[in-house]
Amino acid sequence: MKKVLTAAVLSVAFVASSFANEGEQVFKSKGCTACHKATVDTVGPSLKKIASAYAGKEGDLVAYFKGSHPAIVDPKKAIMMKSQLNKLKSLPEAKLKALADYILSNK
Ligand code: HEC
């Protein structure tokens, strides 16, 4: 029983981390790294800052990617993200979720 449980826990952890990896790929391939670094604010807020603003609110972050949730991190600069969000429009829900997971993993 214990073994089965361990295997289940391990596979959940594996699935969660492979989602985050897929998200990281989206993040890099869409050029997000140009303005977002892991822990320091550059042109855009750090991933750490975004992750703490959206902690426990993955659904809100996915909604933000789709343009149906307002910016909460630095709304005065929200205009800078407009064209960036357009790059995400064609992505399926699963990829947006993976992207959100990746960002949220930077806490
Ligand atoms: C040209 C620079 C630039 C690029 C490229 C960029 N961002 Fe941003 N991003 C910003 C700035 C500036 C802000 C702060 C404005 C804001 O919070 O709305 C921001 C904010 C954000 C936020 C916080 C939104 C909120 O609720 O306030 C998220 C999430 C985000 N970016 C994700 C991304 C993703 C994903 C990509 C790649 C598709 C990306 N960014 C590419 C500049 C950029």
Side-chain angles (χ1 to χ4, degrees), residues 17-81:
S17 73
S18 60
F19 267 142
N21 282 344
E22 196 185 355
E24 183 174 7
Q25 256 171 19
V26 174
F27 193 77
K28 289 185 173 153
S29 68
K30 297 289 178 187
C32 315
T33 49
C35 300
H36 295 287
K37 302 284 172 246
T39 55
V40 284
D41 296 341
T42 51
V43 182
S46 68
L47 293 181
K48 195 176 170 165
K49 191 180 266 180
I50 297 173
S52 48
Y54 281 95
K57 295 189 270 190
E58 187 203 47
D60 288 357
L61 188 49
V62 173
Y64 168 75
F65 292 148
K66 293 180 184 168
S68 56
H69 187 279
I72 60 171
V73 178
D74 195 354
K76 284 193 299 280
K77 292 187 190 160
I79 187 86
M80 291 186 64
M81 276 299 293

